[in-house]
Amino acid sequence: VGREFFPPAEMNGGDNEVAKAEVAAEQPLEWKFSQVFGERTAGEEVQEAEVLLPEVDIDIISAIEFDKTGDHLATGDRGGRVVLFERTDTRDHGGCRRDLERMDYSMSRHPEFRYKTEFQSHEPEFDYLKSLEIEEKINKIRWCQTANGALFLLSTNDKTIKFWKVQEKKVKKVCDMNVDPSRGLANGIVSSPSTSTSPDLYIANGSCSDRSFNSLGNDFSFPAGGIASLHLPVVTSHETSLVARCRRVYAHAHDYHINSISNNSDGETFISADDLRINLWNLEISNQSFNIVDVKPANMEDLTGRSLDIMNEVITSAEFHPTLCNMLAYSSSKGSIRLIDLRQSALCDTHSKLFEEQEAPGSRSFFTEIIASISDIKFAKGGRHILSRDYMTLKLWDINMDSGPVATFQVHEYLRPKLCDLYENDSIFDKFECCLSGDGQRMATGSYSNLFRVFGCSEGSTEATTLEASKNPTRRQVPTTPSRPSRPVGTLSRVVRRDYFLSWGNLAQWPAKEIYLNTGPGLHLVLQATPEFSLGNLFDVNAILLFLALTSNLTHFVLLFSILTVIGADNSGVDTNGNSFDFTTKLLHLAWHPSENSLACAASNSLYMYYA
């Protein structure tokens, strides 16, 4: 249910009706289950790869994308396959939406898709020069402009981009033969009731010694009127089949894993981005690309940094402006977004605008830069706003205001006390995607336990819906930030001791040293080395034992602290609403229909469709 158009009121009270309609349009959407493809039955295992990576589930969906019309949907999986779906509910009614509205036809708002075709886009490879296995997993899919009824799309794995054309081909058959094929024998000999079955009549190579069944002799002459029963065969096309053909391969341009591809609005070029570079391609030229952004440091050792407070930026996502062919944006691992103009220079070393949020004083922690890394950005349809997703939040940016985001939405704030656990099992590095509705009024992103969240971003909207990727999407309650209650020591089930060591350089560079405890909801260890550097809210613990030791020469100091982490009911993975969250089931990929309130979500190997 989106915004509806109401004609100007000509009677008294018309303004009130329009106001009521606008209020109704801002109400939270009621999401309903539509379809599911590839749902696993109980006990069914996901198919696994057998070639190079036997531990990878090849059926798990790794990319999802609607085309501009919303009539086609493409998904890619870890097995290198691309599966296409087409919408059927508009086609079944025998006309486009505008024609149906003119006929005052009540069209169903229930979108339906069906399987169209699939093809193998990428195969597992091995780089012998670098001794590196290259997965076939599809990282991104982007639709291109259609032409002559054919569908075009780009797909990429870690190293290679491919341009595909999917078109219906008519199956041609030869009909009206002079000879009934069912009566044919080997080597073209035709059987008849008068044919002798004696083996003595046949010689080598299948020929027949009986002259009456051999080819026509030189003494044969056609009748004057011809043979009435003899006619030319006819080629007919009764059936059609979808054929996917790889038109071009764009390879050997990236030393690092490709994380993004994006089409330009000019319909002729696209960009591909890896961790350190962004390349510009022409769709018609596969053997040449132009490097437009390069953030590779002169010394590669500086890429990872040499201390806790140093971490160089890498590119995490890149996207072309939807209407301006000279503008594009890319995000970084430090939570910043850069807008660049291709008209400024061939190599865009400098940006036109920088979007980043300033840290609150004293809020910096060990996890600050990790969770600030942006995993995905999307332009709104008009190009005025940019939506970004980091680990904990969604942020909406106005390209005309670079002082900070215009809105911030907490996705799973209830996981903040679990950051230490998420770091240990590498879940903190998961890359969640985000998407915007066609009207720009709402946004969506995924979370753990196959949950996804829908937020209203219009002015004054408080919509924040939590849904589950299942046939009953509303059965889960909204998780809230838990306030950890105090527990008697007798209820603690297990205590685990963990030792951590931190070392800094010359004490002359750290004039201010203080260590203190901040007791809030639970206990937080806060270490202050300088006024600019801190490890605030480093670990959420129930008991802390702290030791501080200085070396004898006083040129360096080493901080040793042991944390007694209580493992019990409080760390059981249950939020305050009683809902358990599972870090192994995550909803990373989803897409919003370009013109309707319809969502496609990828949960493991299953594709769920919802509408409102």
Side-chain angles (χ1 to χ4, degrees), residues 78 430-434 445-447 586-590 602:
R78 291 187 177 180
D430 289 333
K431 307 300 181 183
F432 292 93
E433 295 181 0
C434 59
T445 190
S447 181
K586 59 196 75 173
L587 200 151
L588 302 176
H589 313 285
L590 75 172

Side-chain angles (χ1 to χ4, degrees), residues 349-378:
D349 294 325
T350 60
H351 49 266
S352 301
K353 287 189 177 182
L354 174 65
F355 306 94
E356 59 183 357
E357 188 174 22
Q358 300 298 325
E359 292 181 9
S363 63
R364 188 177 181 83
S365 73
F366 175 77
F367 303 108
T368 297
E369 288 193 353
I370 300 177
I371 64 176
S373 177
I374 296 177
S375 57
D376 189 26
I377 60 171
K378 291 288 193 303

Side-chain angles (χ1 to χ4, degrees), residues 67 69 71-73 84-86 116-117 119 143-153 163-168 242-245 247:
D67 69 347
T69 64
D71 292 336
H72 294 91
L73 176 68
L84 304 184
F85 301 87
E86 64 177 351
K116 186 177 181 72
T117 188
F119 55 91
W143 289 92
C144 302
Q145 294 180 355
T146 60
N148 299 324
L151 302 175
F152 295 89
L153 53 87
F163 183 48
W164 291 91
K165 178 182 180 180
V166 182
Q167 189 177 26
E168 288 188 350
L242 284 168
V243 177
R245 186 164 65 93
R247 295 289 303 274

Side-chain angles (χ1 to χ4, degrees), residues 389 411-412 414-415 432-433 444-455 465-470 472-480 575 577 579-582 584-590 599 601-604 608 610:
R389 170 67 201 268
V411 178
H412 40 216
Y414 58 93
L415 293 181
F432 292 93
E433 295 181 0
T445 190
S447 181
Y448 294 101
S449 301
N450 284 340
L451 299 179
F452 63 99
R453 306 208 64 190
V454 179
F455 298 94
T465 306
T466 301
L467 303 166
E468 182 184 25
S470 65
N472 184 13
T474 58
R475 69 179 181 177
R476 297 292 290 263
Q477 299 177 358
V478 180
T480 58
D575 59 39
N577 293 320
N579 297 322
S580 61
F581 41 85
D582 183 5
T584 61
T585 57
K586 59 196 75 173
L587 200 151
L588 302 176
H589 313 285
L590 75 172
L599 276 170
C601 307
S604 185
Y608 289 90
Y610 302 95

